[in-house]
Amino acid sequence: MPSTRDTNRLLFTLRYLGRRAFVRSRPASLAEAGLFTGKPQHENFARTDALAPVRRMPASSSPQSWPVGESIELPSTYRFDGENRSTAEFLDVTDTAALLVLVDGAVRYERYWLTGGPTVNWLSMSVAKSFVSALVGIAVQEGHIASVNEPISKYVPVDPDSAYDGVAIVDVLQMSSGARWNEDYNDSRSDVHQLTKAMMGLGGGLDGFVARMVRQDQPQTVCRYNSGETQILGALIAHATGRTVSDYMAEKLVEPLGFETPSYWLTDMRGTEMSYAGLNLTARDYARLGELYRNDGMWHGRRIIDQQWVRSSTTIDSSSREAGRPIVGGHEIDLGYGYQWWVPAGHYGDYCAVGVLNQLIYVDPDTRTTIVKLSANRAYGTSAEESTNRDIENVHFLRAVAQSL
């Protein structure tokens, strides 16, 4: 059972992050909120274990330090929206806390600002989605899941005729299940905000929330970005393996990839991981997933993830998921979608994990580059516009860094 201390911490977090607290008689207004209101967030992103209950993961029993190569300088400018922009200004205005550049698996650039640091665990936001996708892939190759063409409801209990009843796992991986959803961070009534309120554990918590979700469209007719999709993929991992997401990740990723620093997942009051956004790792350990995928699922000569899973995850197989077609919060975004990975426009072979407030793992196999950018962009979500959120600009910036090498 959760402790009173855990309950109080989570209530504080929900209030602070701008969600409606269940102990209030009215919704918290955006003016009262923290996240998505323009308030600085870098203090909170570096200490979320002080704000909510967590499941901890130990460092690997055989931690692996990154080799260090010749230092590089970042390009002083990059091209975006038809103009040259200042790198230094961009890093500052997006409240960048960490920037780590690996080439051929060696550190070529590593800098920290604000509350960032080499041993600081930072909140992933939706970068967690790509880790969950990797764990689903491992569960498939181990036989815990027979096929991604099976219905997810074969493994996860859901309400009859609800969004995920009879829907194939692959449809969920590709954000194409047809579930009704609004991922609008600027609207406190949106589904993604309601999902976060489920952290309090009422109504079955996170698992209960996704079990009741409503179907809107036929699967594979629209790519609608939906954090609920990843939450039920976390439930899939737990039900199929008989393990918590944290335990399974600790064995299948943390241990073999040599994570250097103990880490954790945020959970709801029932102990269920916030699979869609609650991972907390260091920049160096986030980079391990990027390097694993850059090497087609191999790690120091050992197969961790099937090569075809990596390629299916990071390529686009339908016009509905081409850049400019996926819908995020009611508008289309100029990125394509794979299995819980974003694919930038242009089909250059690069791909990225992306989280709100500008968390990214960017991978460019052509330049043999993996880049991690951790940020706390305080303007994020104050509007639905690229000018505040800067999702696409971040991708263009990291692509420019990789190409400058």
Side-chain angles (χ1 to χ4, degrees):
M1 293 294 291
S3 68
T4 301
R5 179 171 178 267
D6 281 343
T7 302
N8 289 338
R9 283 192 302 168
L10 189 52
L11 284 171
F12 171 79
T13 302
L14 291 170
R15 289 193 191 104
Y16 189 87
L17 295 183
R19 321 297 195 193
R20 183 170 69 180
F22 286 92
V23 296
R24 291 182 179 222
S25 59
R26 62 182 178 85
S29 70
L30 288 175
E32 296 172 304
L35 197 62
F36 309 128
T37 65
K39 293 183 179 180
Q41 295 298 326
H42 58 272
E43 294 286 350
N44 299 298
F45 274 43
R47 62 179 193 105
T48 59
D49 57 341
L51 303 176
V54 302
R55 280 193 184 272
R56 297 193 180 275
M57 297 182 292
S60 172
S61 63
S62 301
Q64 302 170 25
S65 299
W66 293 110
V68 178
E70 182 180 354
S71 295
I72 63 165
E73 295 293 329
L74 299 178
S76 60
T77 62
Y78 61 98
R79 191 81 177 165
F80 181 70
D81 202 22
E83 63 182 19
N84 290 326
R85 298 193 176 185
S86 164
T87 291
E89 181 179 343
F90 179 69
L91 293 174
D92 179 60
V93 76
T94 57
D95 294 316
T96 304
L99 187 64
L100 175 66
V101 180
L102 303 179
V103 182
D104 281 327
V107 176
R108 302 291 298 278
Y109 183 93
E110 184 176 21
R111 287 283 305 277
Y112 299 94
W113 300 268
L114 301 173
T115 53
T119 61
V120 172
N121 285 310
W122 193 265
L123 181 60
S124 66
M125 291 303 196
S126 290
V127 165
K129 292 177 168 67
S130 301
F131 282 84
V132 168
S133 174
L135 293 175
V136 172
I138 293 171
V140 170
Q141 70 191 37
E142 290 188 332
H144 298 295
I145 299 167
S147 168
V148 295
N149 295 312
E150 290 188 305
I152 198 166
S153 53
K154 174 182 175 181
Y155 298 89
V156 182
V158 300
D159 288 1
D161 299 320
S162 61
Y164 298 115
D165 186 17
V167 172
I169 295 166
V170 68
D171 299 337
V172 181
L173 283 163
Q174 295 176 322
M175 297 286 184
S176 300
S177 72
R180 187 180 71 195
W181 192 261
N182 180 6
E183 189 94 6
D184 188 347
Y185 311 108
N186 191 238
D187 181 356
S188 63
R189 300 164 298 179
S190 68
D191 295 295
V192 70
H193 285 280
Q194 304 308 309
L195 177 61
T196 302
K197 290 195 299 184
M199 294 277 287
M200 283 305 301
L202 301 181
L206 293 168
D207 286 344
F209 185 96
V210 295
R212 297 187 301 272
M213 283 172 54
V214 176
R215 183 175 299 161
Q216 178 173 327
D217 303 296
Q218 288 299 309
Q220 295 294 340
T221 58
V222 62
C223 180
R224 182 181 294 111
Y225 188 74
N226 173 353
S227 285
E229 310 271 55
T230 316
Q231 191 59 44
I232 200 167
L233 289 173
L236 170 66
I237 292 165
H239 283 279
T241 67
R243 312 272 298 279
T244 66
V245 170
S246 301
D247 286 346
Y248 198 61
M249 177 171 164
E251 179 184 345
K252 303 303 178 181
L253 292 177
V254 171
E255 180 62 24
L257 301 188
F259 280 43
E260 297 179 270
T261 304
S263 54
Y264 58 91
W265 283 90
L266 301 182
T267 75
D268 69 9
M269 294 307 297
R270 295 169 176 259
T272 299
E273 288 87 350
M274 185 183 179
S275 298
Y276 66 96
L279 183 59
N280 290 259
L281 302 176
T282 66
R284 292 177 178 180
D285 287 341
Y286 279 121
R288 297 179 195 279
L289 187 70
E291 278 294 285
L292 176 65
Y293 272 58
R294 186 181 71 81
N295 287 289
D296 285 330
M298 294 292 290
W299 188 264
H300 297 179
R302 176 183 174 185
R303 170 66 60 192
I304 304 298
I305 302 178
D306 182 74
Q307 181 183 57
Q308 187 55 53
W309 184 270
V310 172
R311 294 185 177 179
S312 296
S313 297
T314 57
T315 55
I316 300 168
D317 69 355
S318 169
S319 61
S320 67
R321 288 181 288 278
E322 287 283 357
R325 296 293 301 281
I327 298 170
V328 181
H331 66 279
E332 295 174 334
I333 188 168
D334 194 24
L335 294 169
Y337 210 71
Y339 289 2
Q340 308 279 299
W341 285 84
W342 290 102
V343 182
H347 293 276
Y348 295 116
D350 52 350
Y351 47 89
C352 45
V354 180
V356 297
L357 278 73
N358 305 148
Q359 327 310 321
L360 296 99
I361 303 171
Y362 172 85
V363 182
D364 183 8
D366 283 351
T367 60
R368 308 181 308 283
T369 304
T370 293
I371 307 175
V372 175
K373 183 178 187 286
L374 303 178
S375 319
N377 176 3
R378 68 189 73 185
Y380 200 103
T382 55
S383 80
E385 303 301 319
E386 168 66 21
S387 59
T388 57
N389 299 340
R390 308 182 89 144
D391 292 310
I392 308 303
E393 185 171 1
N394 267 274
V395 174
H396 278 251
F397 167 67
L398 297 182
R399 181 180 271 178
V401 171
Q403 292 178 351
S404 75
L405 302 174

